[in-house]
Amino acid sequence: FLRNKARVVEAGAMVLPGLVGDLDLPRQNAASTAGWLATETTAASESNLTTNLVSFRPKTVAVRSQVTRRMQKQYLAVEDLVRKDIADGIGTTIDAGAISGSGASGQPTGITNAGVGTFTGATFTYAEMLEAEADLGAANALQGSLAWMTRSSVITVLKSREEITSSGQGFLMKADNTMSGYPVLRTEQVAALTLIFGNWEELMIGLWGGLDLFSDPYTDGNSAILNIRGFQDIDIQIRHLTSFTFAADVA
């Protein structure tokens, strides 16, 4: 099966393995402010940095697959195939959750639902591309693992639209798969018409233990059906929301 390509870790997302219990990471959210002294005896004003927390709480992604007795006889390695399929499916589900998880019904909150910045994508132009870059620059967030991420239909637009009409300066997306100097990652995990730009190092994926994969020959033992289950506990947080921006209407 040709699955969607999992991209967020490749883009630079930070994976936090081996979590035990809830995790609250301190985050500096404001800096102290320095000021000029009128004279050498003027007292410095007090100004303190402040912190808050980035909180990780485990959420579970799971799947159960069944293998019949006859299937096991016809293909001796079928259990290994199913286990790999479960692992791949859980991996792409986590990746999709990082991009667009709803934050409801047990899902983590992904980038496009987390309250990050947005830019205009309708009739996407060179100016709108620069707007996305400026969004991060204005927040001092134009640093780290910067990349665009979108799906194939949007890449078709980016590769066929001139930077400046009839200027001969080329298209928005270059032959080396970059735009405005930053890589463009392709995956059908991203929703239709959506283009994301950000510092992917700011996306954090917490993992509680490894992938739990186990076989159960007993639940449906009367039919000799083998149940194979996979579970993974994770959570997803963004360190600074200003590190991402996206458009949901690129055309």
Side-chain angles (χ1 to χ4, degrees):
F1 180 73
L2 300 178
R3 288 188 182 275
N4 290 345
K5 179 72 173 176
R7 286 291 199 186
V8 298
V9 173
E10 177 186 344
M14 180 185 298
V15 178
L16 306 176
L19 301 187
V20 178
D22 295 343
L23 174 65
D24 294 310
L25 287 180
R27 169 179 58 190
Q28 182 179 345
N29 64 342
S32 58
T33 303
W36 298 100
L37 302 181
T39 69
E40 62 179 330
T41 59
T42 301
S45 300
E46 180 180 351
S47 179
N48 300 310
L49 64 84
T50 62
T51 62
N52 60 8
L53 298 173
V54 180
S55 296
F56 291 79
R57 301 293 183 265
K59 298 168 178 62
T60 304
V61 56
V63 66
R64 174 174 63 92
S65 294
Q66 292 187 324
V67 182
T68 66
R69 180 184 62 86
R70 187 165 295 171
M71 186 182 295
Q72 294 176 70
K73 286 182 174 295
Q74 290 173 329
Y75 181 33
L76 297 179
V78 68
E79 183 175 345
D80 293 336
L81 176 66
V82 172
R83 283 172 172 263
K84 182 181 184 304
D85 180 71
I86 288 174
D88 290 346
I90 287 178
T92 54
T93 300
I94 292 171
D95 184 87
I99 294 170
S100 58
S102 68
S105 301
Q107 296 185 29
T109 303
I111 293 167
T112 58
N113 289 307
V116 304
T118 59
F119 62 94
T120 302
T123 60
F124 190 70
T125 65
Y126 186 66
E128 288 159 340
M129 178 182 73
L130 296 180
E131 178 191 341
E133 192 175 342
D135 284 350
L136 269 63
N140 297 319
L142 200 63
Q143 55 185 302
S145 238
L146 293 164
W148 306 87
M149 191 176 294
T150 191
R151 63 192 292 127
S152 295
S153 56
V154 174
I155 284 181
T156 299
V157 173
L158 303 179
K159 283 189 169 184
S160 59
R161 183 158 296 159
E162 290 184 289
E163 286 188 350
I164 301 173
T165 304
S166 302
S167 67
Q169 295 184 23
F171 301 99
L172 293 174
M173 185 171 168
K174 306 304 181 185
D176 62 356
N177 294 325
T178 63
M179 187 165 65
S180 192
Y182 305 108
V184 181
L185 301 179
R186 180 198 301 257
T187 176
E188 303 310 295
Q189 299 274 72
V190 179
L193 307 181
T194 299
L195 174 63
I196 303 169
F197 179 61
N199 173 12
W200 295 86
E201 290 177 3
E202 294 281 279
L203 181 68
M204 298 183 291
I205 303 173
L207 300 177
W208 282 261
L211 174 61
D212 296 324
L213 267 174
F214 57 91
S215 301
D216 168 17
Y218 306 110
T219 299
D220 296 296
N222 289 338
S223 302
I225 290 174
L226 179 67
N227 286 278
I228 305 173
R229 296 179 174 89
F231 296 83
Q232 177 71 64
D233 288 349
I234 67 106
D235 196 15
I236 294 164
Q237 298 292 334
I238 300 171
R239 194 198 314 263
H240 298 102
L241 295 180
T242 51
S243 291
F244 288 94
T245 186
F246 77 99
D249 56 349
V250 177

